[in-house]
Amino acid sequence: MSEKTSQKIFLNDRLVDRDQAVVSVYDHGLLYGDGIFEGIRIYSSRVFRNQDHIDRLYEGALAIRLEIPISPEEMTAAVEKTVAANNIVDGYVRLVVTRGAGSLGLDIRRTSNPQVIIIADTISLYPEELYETGMKIITASTIRNHPSALSPRVKSLNYLNNILAKIEGTDAGTLEALMMNHKGEVAECTGDNIFIVKNGVLKTPPRDAGILEGITRKVVIELATEAGIDVREEAMVRHDIYTADECFLTGSAAEVIPVVDLDGRKIGTGTPGEITKKLRKRFQEYVREA
């Protein structure tokens, strides 16, 4: 929206002006990254796969023992209300729940009033031309958090692991970076899931590779299956990407974007492949239908 001063933010139980949307400096979401979030797309004024995102949010909260102060039904309605209040036609929702304010220290028993924050705005993660020409990425030396240390299935406010890998990518002149897991297998990129195509088969790392189970990833798998494409979730190493025929990334903000180069190695022909283009087109159609 052009007038940010008129933007409305949902904070706890009501819509407030953007400059009134504040939380305590003692909130453990700020002090320790203690909280969870979701990034949700809006297409044609409709919240895309809202229920999937709300389900994942509450599962994450359960996993970290965070009690969200409103019900899933109330949260769903709050998201819809925020989108409508900001007249967003095509955009993005950032839904955040913090642990709440407390004393200095890690003890969650000394916190109270978890904060529910919903922001509806526009977003452009990558330049539009990269969706046509494909993007280059590098492999980060920063590996994905060990799943026994922090479950990748929890979309937590502590994104430092991903940020450090992202820094490596931007330092190398790329907008994304591939992250490996503790076993040296392909996990995901800093903000996106990854797919490759080899001999007509669509492949993506499985859940136990240490990935976030992306909503867009789920949709793309569904669309590919409907199109008769053989889809396999299996462990991969960098060699599989270097020698792939096609590669692309998926994410709520990124949608479906082709990758044509990893670590200076051309993938396939060095241009977006036919299956990638087909799935991207079908995804764009689907989000308008859903």
Side-chain angles (χ1 to χ4, degrees), residues 7-10 82 92-96 117-121:
Q7 185 178 11
K8 298 295 184 182
I9 309 295
F10 186 91
T82 308
Y92 183 78
V93 170
R94 174 55 58 92
L95 169 53
V96 178
I117 305 162
I118 306 174
I119 304 168
D121 208 334

Side-chain angles (χ1 to χ4, degrees), residues 43-164:
Y43 297 105
S44 303
S45 300
R46 296 192 302 271
V47 182
F48 182 66
R49 292 284 179 121
N50 198 10
Q51 192 60 55
D52 287 346
H53 284 283
I54 298 300
D55 288 346
R56 187 170 67 180
L57 181 82
Y58 279 80
E59 285 180 2
L62 181 63
I64 68 170
R65 292 179 60 187
L66 170 56
E67 294 187 15
I68 299 177
I70 62 177
S71 70
E73 294 75 21
E74 290 171 323
M75 186 72 78
T76 299
V79 170
E80 300 281 359
K81 181 178 180 180
T82 308
V83 171
N86 289 283
N87 298 311
I88 303 293
V89 177
D90 293 298
Y92 183 78
V93 170
R94 174 55 58 92
L95 169 53
V96 178
V97 184
T98 72
R99 181 73 69 179
S103 59
L104 297 178
L106 303 180
D107 193 343
I108 66 171
R109 297 171 300 176
R110 301 178 70 179
T111 61
S112 61
N113 300 321
Q115 301 291 289
V116 176
I117 305 162
I118 306 174
I119 304 168
D121 208 334
T122 56
I123 191 170
S124 178
L125 191 62
Y126 302 123
E128 188 60 35
E129 60 266 22
L130 292 183
Y131 287 86
E132 302 299 329
T133 62
M135 69 189 305
K136 297 181 180 181
I137 64 175
I138 57 102
T139 304
S141 62
T142 302
I143 67 168
R144 196 68 177 88
N145 280 333
H146 196 294
S148 294
L150 178 64
S151 172
R153 297 171 66 184
V154 176
K155 200 171 175 68
S156 83
L157 295 182
N158 188 338
Y159 247 51
L160 189 57
N161 179 229
N162 307 64
I163 290 168
L164 292 175

